[in-house]
Amino acid sequence: VYADATIKNGTINSLNRCVDTRTNVNLNLENVTLIADKYHSTYGNPQPLTIGGSTHGTIVTLTDVNINAGKSGYCIISFVETDLDATNCTLTGYSAYYAKGGSEGSTFDFNNCSLTGDCTNNDVEGNSFSVIAIQSSSVTVNVNDGSVIAKGDNMYAIGIGCTTVTDLTSNAITVKGATITGNILALAEDDLATNTVIIPD
């Protein structure tokens, strides 16, 4: 996607990326299903909704969207500063949202959404990951109502710098009115004092 676009009322199946933004666009998806649910030897881990390019400021609105990335993919992955608002959506994959380097300054709001991360295909300590995975700085994620489901002993609802990336600061993750199922939180030790995570009691 290289220009502002609206996609409605359909299903997109792909080996890797269903929708891929390549510059700072306004993208609106409504009543859409994105399916890229199998690891591919050429294309790697599925990334049904990829927010990329080299220009910051992409705006994404998702309404009644279903994203299926299987047990090896990232439903939404961002590489640039993004403002995303998702309402009544279902995201199921190895990770629901993955903020990569370059996502600094992004805000992701999930309203009445179901977010699931599933590592049960290969549930070992070295494959620890999270439903909401932050490997960037200054990213804000708000989960309002809905659910965050971590499936597997080594899957977490929220992870900040919990793999090989450290020194991540000023991230703010808030889960309000949503249920969390499974392991809740994974933080790299260096990041404990520099990020804010608010979850239900």
Side-chain angles (χ1 to χ4, degrees), residues 170-193:
S170 304
N171 293 293
I173 316 300
T174 301
V175 178
K176 183 177 181 181
T179 60
I180 297 178
T181 303
N183 298 320
I184 295 175
L185 183 62
L187 289 173
E189 286 188 14
D190 292 345
D191 300 321
L192 290 175

Side-chain angles (χ1 to χ4, degrees), residues 94-114:
Y94 181 59
S95 178
Y97 168 54
Y98 189 9
K100 296 285 283 183
S103 299
E104 292 81 4
S106 293
T107 298
F108 278 70
D109 291 317
F110 296 98
N111 305 298
N112 195 35
C113 294
S114 174

